[in-house]
Amino acid sequence: MPTVPLKDLRVALVHHWLVGMRGGEKVLESFCKIFPAADVYTLVSEPAAISETIKQHRITTSWIQKLPRASQYYSHYLPLFPFAIEQFDLSGYDLVVSSDAVVSKGVITRPEPCHSCYCHTPMRYAWSAYHTYLRAIESSWKRKLVPFFMNYLRTWDLASASRVDYFLANSQTVANRIAKYYRREAHVIFPPVAVSGFSVAQTIDDYFLVVGQLVPYKRFDLAIEVFNQLKYPLVVVGDGPEYSKLRRAAGRNIRFVGRISDAELSRSLSQCRALVFPGEEDFGMVVVEAHACGRPVIALARGGALETVVPDLNGLLFAEETAEILTDAMHRFVHLESEFQPQLIRETATPFDENRFSAEVSAFILDKTEEHRHRFKIAPRRWKPAIHDPRG
């Protein structure tokens, strides 16, 4: 059977929501470049918050888009997500690529189209970070109700994983989670980082940096606790549901700047003493971005950081999520700080460049699409007339 070029396939890209340009959306942006004629399906979209590359594609949203303030409070509609994602009609496509950390992989397709899922992580608040999220819920009645809903959500999530033909994972950490929770094999392709868009600064300022959505599992509360004690300057980049709580806990040496532009983030990363990465992440694209700026990273020795941080070369690892151990790591960093070499650190980021991602994804999807076509090829039925024996 001849190979069908990717450009000749009718492609649907599915992503959970488009309300900002975080790591998952940057991956979708790369998919949009690989498949320039693809249509995009998402639960909720805020056009002003997404890149021009994504907006050039036809974007179809779910009925959740019409609910009150959906683009701002989309997370409050989580119980409706499984029902909404299943309503997309993808029957006109040859290839479906879902970018998933919530429910995107749950789209329903016919058997013939190949469905490949690039998994950022199995739904973390239902699986790996469930107890972290549960402890962070301040309302007692919500804390009692959530376990019942999560039980349903896990059942749906496991069932919907069987709808995927092939899994890709953004790290070995996530591949291990897919094997644990879904009992499926996943091929690892690290996410794309625009390494060439970052540069090494000539001068370094006197501050440390934390970057990301302010949610419980990222453990920014741990960083704030430690920096309150050490009195080192800390800049917090990002916003989220923990913003007010974290700001109340922070001392005068800690500055919150909210969301900033890509250019401002690049400048902040390139001029910080180090990026502090206190929680377990699926991969952690900002770690590689810091390395692309020649800056070291002080990271928890779990998750994606184990695949990007080389101790004493481009950063330091600390073993446990405790203030005492992170404090020890900070003291160790200050002692070794002058030994880190920015240009050498930058070289460690080059294997994660976005060109490598495009080549690896294209090769994987082309190979699996052909494999899928062969698997579902059904030969026409053949009929032979019965031979009459005149002898009876």
Side-chain angles (χ1 to χ4, degrees), residues 319-365:
E320 298 292 338
E321 291 178 82
T322 68
E324 180 182 3
I325 293 179
L326 177 52
T327 299
D328 288 343
M330 293 301 304
H331 288 315
R332 186 156 49 99
F333 172 80
V334 172
H335 178 70
L336 299 173
E337 186 171 4
S338 61
E339 299 182 17
F340 289 104
Q341 302 177 42
Q343 291 298 337
L344 192 55
I345 291 175
R346 179 175 168 79
E347 289 179 17
T348 67
T350 54
F352 301 97
D353 187 70
E354 56 189 343
N355 292 330
R356 177 269 323 158
F357 176 83
S358 297
E360 291 183 6
V361 165
S362 297
F364 177 88
I365 289 182

Short mmCIF file of all heavy atoms in Angstrom, two decimals, residues 319-365:
data_model
loop_
_atom_site.label_atom_id
_atom_site.label_comp_id
_atom_site.label_asym_id
_atom_site.label_seq_id
_atom_site.Cartn_x
_atom_site.Cartn_y
_atom_site.Cartn_z
N ALA A 319 16.31 16.65 47.00
CA ALA A 319 15.66 15.34 47.05
C ALA A 319 14.19 15.36 47.47
O ALA A 319 13.41 14.55 46.99
CB ALA A 319 16.45 14.41 47.99
N GLU A 320 13.80 16.26 48.38
CA GLU A 320 12.44 16.21 48.93
C GLU A 320 11.80 17.59 48.95
O GLU A 320 12.49 18.61 49.02
CB GLU A 320 12.47 15.65 50.36
CG GLU A 320 12.98 14.22 50.47
CD GLU A 320 12.05 13.21 49.84
OE1 GLU A 320 10.84 13.52 49.70
OE2 GLU A 320 12.51 12.10 49.50
N GLU A 321 10.46 17.59 48.94
CA GLU A 321 9.70 18.84 48.98
C GLU A 321 9.58 19.33 50.42
O GLU A 321 8.48 19.37 50.99
CB GLU A 321 8.31 18.65 48.38
CG GLU A 321 8.29 18.40 46.88
CD GLU A 321 6.88 18.18 46.37
OE1 GLU A 321 6.17 19.17 46.13
OE2 GLU A 321 6.49 17.01 46.22
N THR A 322 10.70 19.69 51.01
CA THR A 322 10.68 20.24 52.36
C THR A 322 11.49 21.53 52.39
O THR A 322 12.45 21.69 51.62
CB THR A 322 11.28 19.26 53.39
OG1 THR A 322 12.69 19.11 53.14
CG2 THR A 322 10.60 17.90 53.32
N ALA A 323 11.12 22.42 53.30
CA ALA A 323 11.83 23.70 53.41
C ALA A 323 13.29 23.48 53.79
O ALA A 323 14.19 24.18 53.29
CB ALA A 323 11.13 24.59 54.44
N GLU A 324 13.54 22.53 54.66
CA GLU A 324 14.91 22.28 55.11
C GLU A 324 15.81 21.86 53.97
O GLU A 324 16.93 22.37 53.81
CB GLU A 324 14.90 21.20 56.20
CG GLU A 324 16.28 20.87 56.74
CD GLU A 324 16.25 19.76 57.78
OE1 GLU A 324 15.16 19.21 58.02
OE2 GLU A 324 17.33 19.44 58.33
N ILE A 325 15.34 20.95 53.13
CA ILE A 325 16.17 20.43 52.05
C ILE A 325 16.33 21.46 50.94
O ILE A 325 17.42 21.61 50.37
CB ILE A 325 15.59 19.10 51.53
CG1 ILE A 325 15.71 18.03 52.62
CG2 ILE A 325 16.31 18.65 50.27
CD1 ILE A 325 15.16 16.69 52.25
N LEU A 326 15.27 22.22 50.62
CA LEU A 326 15.42 23.28 49.64
C LEU A 326 16.37 24.36 50.15
O LEU A 326 17.17 24.91 49.39
CB LEU A 326 14.06 23.88 49.29
CG LEU A 326 14.08 25.06 48.30
CD1 LEU A 326 14.85 24.72 47.02
CD2 LEU A 326 12.66 25.52 47.96
N THR A 327 16.31 24.68 51.43
CA THR A 327 17.22 25.66 52.02
C THR A 327 18.68 25.18 51.88
O THR A 327 19.57 25.97 51.51
CB THR A 327 16.90 25.89 53.51
OG1 THR A 327 15.57 26.40 53.61
CG2 THR A 327 17.87 26.88 54.13
N ASP A 328 18.91 23.91 52.14
CA ASP A 328 20.26 23.36 51.97
C ASP A 328 20.72 23.48 50.52
O ASP A 328 21.89 23.80 50.24
CB ASP A 328 20.29 21.89 52.39
CG ASP A 328 20.19 21.71 53.90
OD1 ASP A 328 20.40 22.70 54.63
OD2 ASP A 328 19.88 20.59 54.34
N ALA A 329 19.80 23.23 49.57
CA ALA A 329 20.14 23.34 48.15
C ALA A 329 20.48 24.78 47.78
O ALA A 329 21.41 25.02 46.98
CB ALA A 329 18.98 22.83 47.30
N MET A 330 19.75 25.74 48.36
CA MET A 330 20.05 27.15 48.08
C MET A 330 21.44 27.52 48.61
O MET A 330 22.21 28.22 47.93
CB MET A 330 18.98 28.04 48.72
CG MET A 330 17.59 27.91 48.12
SD MET A 330 17.54 28.29 46.34
CE MET A 330 18.23 29.95 46.33
N HIS A 331 21.79 27.07 49.79
CA HIS A 331 23.12 27.34 50.34
C HIS A 331 24.20 26.70 49.46
O HIS A 331 25.25 27.30 49.21
CB HIS A 331 23.22 26.81 51.77
CG HIS A 331 22.45 27.60 52.77
ND1 HIS A 331 22.45 28.98 52.81
CD2 HIS A 331 21.63 27.21 53.79
CE1 HIS A 331 21.68 29.40 53.80
NE2 HIS A 331 21.16 28.35 54.41
N ARG A 332 23.93 25.48 49.00
CA ARG A 332 24.89 24.79 48.15
C ARG A 332 25.07 25.53 46.82
O ARG A 332 26.19 25.66 46.32
CB ARG A 332 24.40 23.35 47.91
CG ARG A 332 25.38 22.47 47.16
CD ARG A 332 25.11 20.98 47.47
NE ARG A 332 23.70 20.65 47.33
CZ ARG A 332 23.17 20.06 46.25
NH1 ARG A 332 23.94 19.76 45.22
NH2 ARG A 332 21.90 19.76 46.21
N PHE A 333 23.95 26.04 46.28
CA PHE A 333 24.04 26.79 45.02
C PHE A 333 24.89 28.05 45.19
O PHE A 333 25.74 28.35 44.34
CB PHE A 333 22.64 27.17 44.52
CG PHE A 333 22.70 28.11 43.33
CD1 PHE A 333 22.95 27.63 42.07
CD2 PHE A 333 22.53 29.48 43.50
CE1 PHE A 333 23.04 28.48 40.98
CE2 PHE A 333 22.62 30.34 42.42
CZ PHE A 333 22.87 29.84 41.16
N VAL A 334 24.63 28.81 46.24
CA VAL A 334 25.39 30.04 46.46
C VAL A 334 26.89 29.74 46.57
O VAL A 334 27.73 30.49 46.05
CB VAL A 334 24.87 30.76 47.73
CG1 VAL A 334 25.78 31.93 48.09
CG2 VAL A 334 23.45 31.25 47.51
N HIS A 335 27.22 28.62 47.17
CA HIS A 335 28.62 28.22 47.31
C HIS A 335 29.24 27.87 45.95
O HIS A 335 30.42 28.16 45.70
CB HIS A 335 28.73 27.03 48.27
CG HIS A 335 30.12 26.52 48.44
ND1 HIS A 335 31.10 27.22 49.12
CD2 HIS A 335 30.70 25.35 48.01
CE1 HIS A 335 32.22 26.53 49.10
NE2 HIS A 335 32.01 25.38 48.45
N LEU A 336 28.44 27.26 45.05
CA LEU A 336 28.95 26.79 43.76
C LEU A 336 28.65 27.74 42.60
O LEU A 336 29.07 27.48 41.47
CB LEU A 336 28.35 25.42 43.43
CG LEU A 336 28.65 24.27 44.39
CD1 LEU A 336 27.82 23.05 44.01
CD2 LEU A 336 30.13 23.93 44.36
N GLU A 337 27.93 28.81 42.86
CA GLU A 337 27.37 29.65 41.80
C GLU A 337 28.39 30.06 40.75
O GLU A 337 28.12 30.04 39.55
CB GLU A 337 26.73 30.89 42.43
CG GLU A 337 26.00 31.78 41.45
CD GLU A 337 25.20 32.87 42.14
OE1 GLU A 337 25.28 32.97 43.39
OE2 GLU A 337 24.49 33.61 41.43
N SER A 338 29.58 30.46 41.17
CA SER A 338 30.59 30.96 40.24
C SER A 338 31.14 29.88 39.31
O SER A 338 31.79 30.18 38.30
CB SER A 338 31.75 31.59 41.01
OG SER A 338 32.37 30.62 41.86
N GLU A 339 30.87 28.61 39.62
CA GLU A 339 31.41 27.52 38.81
C GLU A 339 30.54 27.18 37.60
O GLU A 339 30.99 26.47 36.69
CB GLU A 339 31.60 26.27 39.68
CG GLU A 339 32.58 26.48 40.83
CD GLU A 339 32.78 25.22 41.66
OE1 GLU A 339 32.42 24.12 41.16
OE2 GLU A 339 33.28 25.33 42.80
N PHE A 340 29.31 27.64 37.58
CA PHE A 340 28.43 27.37 36.43
C PHE A 340 28.86 28.21 35.23
O PHE A 340 29.11 29.41 35.36
CB PHE A 340 26.98 27.65 36.79
CG PHE A 340 26.39 26.64 37.74
CD1 PHE A 340 26.21 26.97 39.09
CD2 PHE A 340 26.03 25.38 37.31
CE1 PHE A 340 25.67 26.05 39.98
CE2 PHE A 340 25.49 24.44 38.20
CZ PHE A 340 25.32 24.78 39.53
N GLN A 341 28.93 27.58 34.06
CA GLN A 341 29.39 28.24 32.84
C GLN A 341 28.21 28.45 31.89
O GLN A 341 27.67 27.49 31.33
CB GLN A 341 30.46 27.40 32.15
CG GLN A 341 31.67 27.13 33.02
CD GLN A 341 32.68 26.24 32.34
OE1 GLN A 341 32.96 26.39 31.15
NE2 GLN A 341 33.23 25.29 33.08
N PRO A 342 27.79 29.70 31.69
CA PRO A 342 26.59 29.97 30.89
C PRO A 342 26.58 29.35 29.50
O PRO A 342 25.56 28.78 29.08
CB PRO A 342 26.56 31.50 30.83
CG PRO A 342 27.25 31.93 32.08
CD PRO A 342 28.33 30.92 32.30
N GLN A 343 27.67 29.44 28.77
CA GLN A 343 27.69 28.89 27.40
C GLN A 343 27.56 27.37 27.41
O GLN A 343 26.91 26.78 26.55
CB GLN A 343 28.97 29.32 26.67
CG GLN A 343 29.03 30.81 26.35
CD GLN A 343 27.91 31.24 25.41
OE1 GLN A 343 27.34 30.44 24.66
NE2 GLN A 343 27.60 32.54 25.45
N LEU A 344 28.17 26.73 28.39
CA LEU A 344 28.05 25.28 28.50
C LEU A 344 26.63 24.88 28.89
O LEU A 344 26.09 23.89 28.39
CB LEU A 344 29.05 24.77 29.54
CG LEU A 344 29.29 23.25 29.60
CD1 LEU A 344 29.70 22.72 28.23
CD2 LEU A 344 30.33 22.92 30.65
N ILE A 345 26.01 25.67 29.77
CA ILE A 345 24.61 25.42 30.14
C ILE A 345 23.71 25.53 28.90
O ILE A 345 22.82 24.70 28.68
CB ILE A 345 24.15 26.41 31.23
CG1 ILE A 345 24.86 26.10 32.55
CG2 ILE A 345 22.64 26.33 31.43
CD1 ILE A 345 24.56 27.10 33.66
N ARG A 346 23.96 26.54 28.09
CA ARG A 346 23.14 26.73 26.89
C ARG A 346 23.24 25.53 25.95
O ARG A 346 22.24 25.13 25.34
CB ARG A 346 23.54 28.01 26.16
CG ARG A 346 22.74 28.26 24.89
CD ARG A 346 23.04 29.58 24.22
NE ARG A 346 22.47 29.63 22.88
CZ ARG A 346 21.19 29.87 22.62
NH1 ARG A 346 20.35 30.09 23.61
NH2 ARG A 346 20.75 29.90 21.38
N GLU A 347 24.40 24.94 25.85
CA GLU A 347 24.57 23.79 24.97
C GLU A 347 23.69 22.61 25.39
O GLU A 347 23.26 21.82 24.55
CB GLU A 347 26.04 23.36 24.94
CG GLU A 347 26.96 24.33 24.21
CD GLU A 347 28.40 23.87 24.23
OE1 GLU A 347 28.63 22.66 24.51
OE2 GLU A 347 29.30 24.70 23.98
N THR A 348 23.39 22.51 26.67
CA THR A 348 22.55 21.40 27.13
C THR A 348 21.11 21.55 26.68
O THR A 348 20.33 20.58 26.76
CB THR A 348 22.60 21.26 28.67
OG1 THR A 348 21.97 22.40 29.28
CG2 THR A 348 24.03 21.15 29.17
N ALA A 349 20.72 22.74 26.23
CA ALA A 349 19.34 22.97 25.78
C ALA A 349 19.13 22.65 24.31
O ALA A 349 17.99 22.45 23.87
CB ALA A 349 18.96 24.44 26.03
N THR A 350 20.21 22.58 23.53
CA THR A 350 20.06 22.43 22.08
C THR A 350 19.33 21.16 21.64
O THR A 350 18.62 21.18 20.63
CB THR A 350 21.44 22.51 21.38
OG1 THR A 350 22.33 21.55 21.97
CG2 THR A 350 22.05 23.90 21.54
N PRO A 351 19.44 20.02 22.36
CA PRO A 351 18.69 18.83 21.90
C PRO A 351 17.17 18.98 21.96
O PRO A 351 16.45 18.13 21.41
CB PRO A 351 19.17 17.73 22.87
CG PRO A 351 20.47 18.20 23.39
CD PRO A 351 20.33 19.68 23.48
N PHE A 352 16.67 20.02 22.61
CA PHE A 352 15.22 20.18 22.77
C PHE A 352 14.64 21.20 21.78
O PHE A 352 13.48 21.60 21.91
CB PHE A 352 14.90 20.62 24.20
CG PHE A 352 15.38 19.66 25.25
CD1 PHE A 352 16.59 19.86 25.90
CD2 PHE A 352 14.64 18.54 25.56
CE1 PHE A 352 17.04 18.97 26.86
CE2 PHE A 352 15.08 17.63 26.52
CZ PHE A 352 16.28 17.85 27.16
N ASP A 353 15.41 21.61 20.78
CA ASP A 353 14.96 22.64 19.85
C ASP A 353 13.72 22.21 19.08
O ASP A 353 13.50 21.02 18.83
CB ASP A 353 16.09 22.97 18.87
CG ASP A 353 15.76 24.16 18.00
OD1 ASP A 353 15.72 25.28 18.53
OD2 ASP A 353 15.50 23.96 16.80
N GLU A 354 12.90 23.18 18.69
CA GLU A 354 11.62 22.90 18.05
C GLU A 354 11.76 22.21 16.70
O GLU A 354 10.85 21.47 16.28
CB GLU A 354 10.80 24.20 17.91
CG GLU A 354 11.50 25.31 17.17
CD GLU A 354 10.73 26.62 17.27
OE1 GLU A 354 9.55 26.59 17.62
OE2 GLU A 354 11.33 27.67 16.98
N ASN A 355 12.88 22.40 15.98
CA ASN A 355 13.07 21.71 14.71
C ASN A 355 13.17 20.20 14.91
O ASN A 355 12.67 19.42 14.09
CB ASN A 355 14.34 22.23 14.01
CG ASN A 355 14.19 23.66 13.55
OD1 ASN A 355 13.09 24.10 13.23
ND2 ASN A 355 15.28 24.40 13.52
N ARG A 356 13.81 19.78 15.97
CA ARG A 356 13.89 18.36 16.31
C ARG A 356 12.50 17.80 16.58
O ARG A 356 12.14 16.71 16.13
CB ARG A 356 14.81 18.21 17.52
CG ARG A 356 14.98 16.81 18.09
CD ARG A 356 13.98 16.44 19.18
NE ARG A 356 13.68 17.56 20.03
CZ ARG A 356 12.58 17.65 20.75
NH1 ARG A 356 11.68 16.70 20.72
NH2 ARG A 356 12.34 18.70 21.51
N PHE A 357 11.66 18.57 17.28
CA PHE A 357 10.30 18.14 17.59
C PHE A 357 9.51 17.90 16.31
O PHE A 357 8.86 16.86 16.16
CB PHE A 357 9.61 19.20 18.45
CG PHE A 357 8.16 18.91 18.76
CD1 PHE A 357 7.81 18.07 19.80
CD2 PHE A 357 7.15 19.48 18.00
CE1 PHE A 357 6.48 17.81 20.08
CE2 PHE A 357 5.82 19.23 18.27
CZ PHE A 357 5.48 18.39 19.32
N SER A 358 9.55 18.83 15.39
CA SER A 358 8.78 18.71 14.15
C SER A 358 9.20 17.47 13.37
O SER A 358 8.35 16.74 12.84
CB SER A 358 8.97 19.96 13.29
OG SER A 358 8.47 21.10 13.95
N ALA A 359 10.51 17.23 13.29
CA ALA A 359 10.99 16.07 12.53
C ALA A 359 10.56 14.77 13.18
O ALA A 359 10.10 13.83 12.50
CB ALA A 359 12.51 16.14 12.42
N GLU A 360 10.68 14.67 14.51
CA GLU A 360 10.34 13.43 15.20
C GLU A 360 8.83 13.16 15.17
O GLU A 360 8.40 12.03 14.97
CB GLU A 360 10.83 13.49 16.64
CG GLU A 360 12.35 13.44 16.77
CD GLU A 360 12.81 13.41 18.22
OE1 GLU A 360 11.96 13.32 19.13
OE2 GLU A 360 14.03 13.48 18.44
N VAL A 361 8.03 14.20 15.36
CA VAL A 361 6.57 14.03 15.34
C VAL A 361 6.11 13.62 13.94
O VAL A 361 5.28 12.71 13.79
CB VAL A 361 5.87 15.32 15.80
CG1 VAL A 361 4.38 15.28 15.44
CG2 VAL A 361 6.02 15.50 17.30
N SER A 362 6.61 14.29 12.91
CA SER A 362 6.20 13.97 11.54
C SER A 362 6.53 12.53 11.20
O SER A 362 5.71 11.81 10.61
CB SER A 362 6.90 14.92 10.55
OG SER A 362 6.52 16.26 10.78
N ALA A 363 7.73 12.08 11.57
CA ALA A 363 8.13 10.70 11.27
C ALA A 363 7.26 9.70 12.02
O ALA A 363 6.82 8.68 11.45
CB ALA A 363 9.60 10.50 11.63
N PHE A 364 6.97 9.98 13.29
CA PHE A 364 6.15 9.07 14.09
C PHE A 364 4.74 8.97 13.53
O PHE A 364 4.22 7.87 13.34
CB PHE A 364 6.10 9.55 15.55
CG PHE A 364 5.23 8.72 16.44
CD1 PHE A 364 5.74 7.61 17.10
CD2 PHE A 364 3.89 9.03 16.63
CE1 PHE A 364 4.93 6.82 17.91
CE2 PHE A 364 3.07 8.26 17.43
CZ PHE A 364 3.60 7.14 18.08
N ILE A 365 4.12 10.11 13.27
CA ILE A 365 2.72 10.09 12.81
C ILE A 365 2.60 9.48 11.43
O ILE A 365 1.66 8.73 11.15
CB ILE A 365 2.15 11.52 12.86
CG1 ILE A 365 1.96 11.95 14.32
CG2 ILE A 365 0.83 11.60 12.09
CD1 ILE A 365 1.35 13.30 14.51
#
